[in-house]
Amino acid sequence: MTRISSRLMVNIAVVLVVLVGGRAISAEDKYTLKVPNGLAFSEFKGYEGWHTISISHNGEMLAVILGNPAMIDAYKAGVPGNGKPFPDGAKMAKIHWNAKKNETAPGQPLVAGTLHDVDFMVKDSKRFADSGGWGYAEFEYDAASDAFRPGTLADKPPQGNDAKCGFACHTAVKKQDYVFTEYPKR
């Protein structure tokens, strides 16, 4: 009897390790993704802990825009308003969620619902000399599979297949070193 119970316990433990381990491996799969001819998700590992630059609400989406320390330091030094460009190594992440109304909170504010996608930008003047010094990437999130994939031309908005996919849009803010997001007073 003890032998069967021990075997059963070992089997249960193995199943739990596989299930929990599989979920952990699945969560790390995003770091294997790369935009063809462009940025890899792994280049932005740890973005979830970066400081907030700003937030935005556009249509049905809510977003938080985050910056790595180089980006935050540049903003604090007055870039781009001081006429200087962002330094190489500055990175931004923009996390989009489908907005939903919080029915139980006073005023029923819009809050983050399901994750939609994550956008990245990195300043590297040598690597991305032909796109204003910036590389771009967009990764769509699928809640059903709990997985990301590189954006495509079929997405809304359409995403190109290289690190310059955001450049056409960002030329509108060339005078701000191709960055739309301002760093508001805190």
Side-chain angles (χ1 to χ4, degrees), residues 3 12-13 31 33 44 51-52 63 70 82 92 95 104 107 116 140-141 145 158 160 168-169 182:
R3 188 172 216 182
I12 290 171
Y31 294 114
L33 297 175
F44 298 87
H51 288 147
T52 300
N82 62 7
M92 298 175 73
I95 306 168
T104 59
H116 187 272
E140 292 283 323
Y141 178 74
S145 64
C169 247
E182 295 180 16

Side-chain angles (χ1 to χ4, degrees), residues 4 22 37 51 57 59 67 81 98 101 103 112 117 120 128 130 147 151 172 174-175:
I4 294 172
N37 301 314
H51 288 147
H57 173 218
N98 294 301
K101 195 180 285 188
E103 303 288 343
D117 67 81
F120 295 121
F128 305 110
D130 59 347
K174 183 178 180 179
K175 290 182 180 179

Side-chain angles (χ1 to χ4, degrees), residues 1 16 60 98:
M1 182 78 169
L16 287 174
E60 300 295 317
N98 294 301

